[in-house]
Amino acid sequence: MGQTMGTTCNKMCAPDQSCIQYWLLPKMAPEWYRKLVMGVSGDDVHLQDPPADSLMLLGHISLTVPNMEDARIYYVDGIGLGESQRESPGQLRANMGPSQLRLSSSGSNEPERWPGEIRVWVEDIRSTADTFNMLGRTLGVDMVAEMKEATTGGEYAMKLHDPGHLNFVLVSEAPYGWAEKLRAIHADPSKHELEFPVKTKNALALLDAFVVLPDRGKIEGTARFYEHFFAVAPTKKFQVYEAQARMDVCQVHFAPGVGLHQTLTYKCEKGSQIPSSLGSVCIYLANKSRFHLTYAKAKKFDILTDACKAKTWEQIETACEFEIARVFDPQNSCTVLPLRHMVRFSQHPECPLHEPVAGK
């Protein structure tokens, strides 16, 4: 009898095996009802179309880690990122949609940190929870920092420690039914795609690179950095502070493909500390003239890395990339955050987006 009921239940369930969500959610459910049943909130910016002046792609985040094998187990087996078929020696390139996390060994140096959270969309958050219940024992460390309310889909979100307790990853479920269109966005090929039958991984996309800064002055300087050097208009949110409206959030937008609205978000959190050793972020630009202008401005303000300062524009143009050493406030001529930005033109050979994308 129990087996019969289980079989019947499986036939009645939605593809994600969630019976109650499948039957309680009407096709044209009002927003409050979708939030109640599916954990979906239309207020989340990532469910909205990106602005017209959005940049092309939040390409990759690079970090050094103390233990490469633990990192591979955590990101590939745990969160469900795909291992790139084009790995470099000594480096793990883990795919999450069109974006990557690039990890290499810190060796005897201090490991690099991301100054906030790396936010990832997965297809099934319950699979993530089940996997990390097991991986905590495998890696010998508690990795679930906090269970959080869902904002875009699923029943909850998970804030996770990495194996070294150096970085946070916030894993949340993409809206129900979005996995197919997210996987349709061009991406770097992963090893699991070579298998037969072809497998899928749980991770769908890098949603947000979230950064915390200790004061509102730094948030304002960050906004000026992206406005001047990248010629975009970040979203700005304000809070009243000492009877004066001050910028509390600065958010840069990316439009890599249908269904994916990425962000690079900076938020003020009083008392937060900027790590002494930071990783880097890669940004792709679709427009060649915009790529050249960003380079020229960075050169004028002397914020290119030393390696790029020694190159001519012709060398930069051929390589389709240059690197900015830090987030720099052009108004006050000061460093806001020593976070390196690798800036690439869309014709770079590692750009995963093979078709033209609207954006800068």
Side-chain angles (χ1 to χ4, degrees):
M1 178 66 177
Q3 183 177 0
T4 302
M5 289 183 65
T7 303
T8 302
C9 184
N10 285 336
K11 291 179 179 178
M12 294 168 61
C13 279
D16 70 348
Q17 301 298 303
S18 179
C19 300
I20 188 169
Q21 290 182 353
Y22 183 68
W23 288 106
L24 291 183
L25 186 66
K27 289 184 178 179
M28 299 298 292
E31 200 63 45
W32 66 268
Y33 196 73
R34 291 182 63 83
K35 174 63 178 173
L36 176 65
V37 177
M38 296 291 289
V40 174
S41 171
D43 293 335
D44 191 283
V45 68
H46 303 100
L47 302 183
Q48 303 167 14
D49 290 337
D53 73 337
S54 295
L55 300 177
M56 182 182 184
L57 172 67
L58 189 55
H60 62 257
I61 292 173
S62 294
L63 298 169
T64 60
V65 296
N67 188 307
M68 288 292 289
E69 181 57 22
D70 284 355
R72 192 200 66 78
I73 293 172
Y74 174 82
Y75 287 106
V76 176
D77 298 337
I79 300 176
L81 278 64
E83 280 192 82
S84 174
Q85 296 177 24
R86 300 188 292 184
E87 285 188 54
S88 298
Q91 184 183 61
L92 170 65
R93 296 187 179 186
N95 295 328
M96 36 189 168
S99 305
Q100 288 183 330
L101 188 62
R102 297 189 174 186
L103 305 173
S104 55
S105 175
S106 58
S108 59
N109 298 319
E110 180 183 356
E112 293 173 342
R113 301 188 181 211
W114 182 257
E117 297 173 356
I118 299 170
R119 297 180 171 179
V120 179
W121 255 352
V122 296
E123 182 176 12
D124 184 358
I125 191 65
R126 289 164 299 175
S127 175
T128 306
D130 291 343
T131 300
F132 274 94
N133 283 336
M134 175 192 69
L135 284 185
R137 295 188 292 270
T138 301
L139 297 175
V141 62
D142 183 11
M143 288 178 289
V144 180
E146 184 180 357
M147 302 298 290
K148 301 175 71 73
E149 181 182 2
T151 57
T152 58
E155 299 154 15
Y156 48 81
M158 300 176 68
K159 184 175 180 178
L160 304 171
H161 294 286
D162 70 358
H165 277 221
L166 298 169
N167 296 289
F168 286 111
V169 180
L170 182 67
V171 181
S172 59
E173 191 171 299
Y176 182 74
W178 282 34
E180 184 175 354
K181 64 181 176 181
L182 290 171
R183 289 196 175 106
I185 300 172
H186 289 298
D188 182 68
S190 297
K191 291 180 180 179
H192 67 271
E193 297 175 279
L194 299 174
E195 301 179 22
F196 182 85
V198 175
K199 296 181 180 180
T200 58
K201 300 288 283 187
N202 197 25
L204 296 172
L206 170 62
L207 191 63
D208 183 28
F210 183 81
V211 176
V212 294
L213 294 174
D215 65 76
R216 291 174 173 84
K218 288 185 177 294
I219 300 295
E220 293 163 352
T222 297
R224 288 189 288 265
F225 169 75
Y226 290 102
E227 287 172 332
H228 180 71
F229 294 101
F230 292 92
V232 295
T235 297
K236 303 173 184 177
K237 298 180 181 180
F238 295 82
Q239 294 286 342
V240 176
Y241 177 71
E242 294 181 351
Q244 183 180 8
R246 296 290 303 274
M247 195 183 305
D248 194 58
V249 174
C250 165
Q251 194 165 57
V252 183
H253 303 270
F254 300 82
V258 176
L260 182 54
H261 176 177
Q262 295 178 308
T263 51
L264 177 54
T265 304
Y266 294 82
K267 181 177 173 56
C268 176
E269 291 189 5
K270 301 291 286 185
S272 61
Q273 299 292 322
I274 297 175
S276 57
S277 179
L278 296 179
S280 64
V281 63
C282 173
I283 291 174
Y284 282 94
L285 304 181
N287 186 286
K288 180 68 171 290
S289 62
R290 184 66 56 189
F291 174 77
H292 189 183
L293 184 58
T294 301
Y295 165 78
K297 289 179 178 179
K299 182 177 180 180
K300 175 179 172 60
F301 279 82
D302 195 29
I303 58 172
L304 295 171
T305 59
D306 290 340
C308 288
K309 289 177 184 178
K311 296 179 180 179
T312 64
W313 161 246
E314 288 70 26
Q315 291 173 310
I316 296 293
E317 184 179 29
T318 300
C320 292
E321 70 176 26
F322 62 89
E323 191 171 35
I324 296 175
R326 56 195 182 276
V327 177
F328 180 82
D329 181 355
Q331 177 175 297
N332 296 316
S333 298
C334 64
T335 297
V336 175
L337 182 71
L339 178 66
R340 301 187 312 280
H341 284 54
M342 175 65 73
V343 183
R344 287 179 168 177
F345 177 48
S346 58
Q347 295 303 308
H348 192 283
E350 292 184 350
C351 181
L353 301 180
H354 307 303
E355 302 295 333
V357 177
K360 294 192 175 183

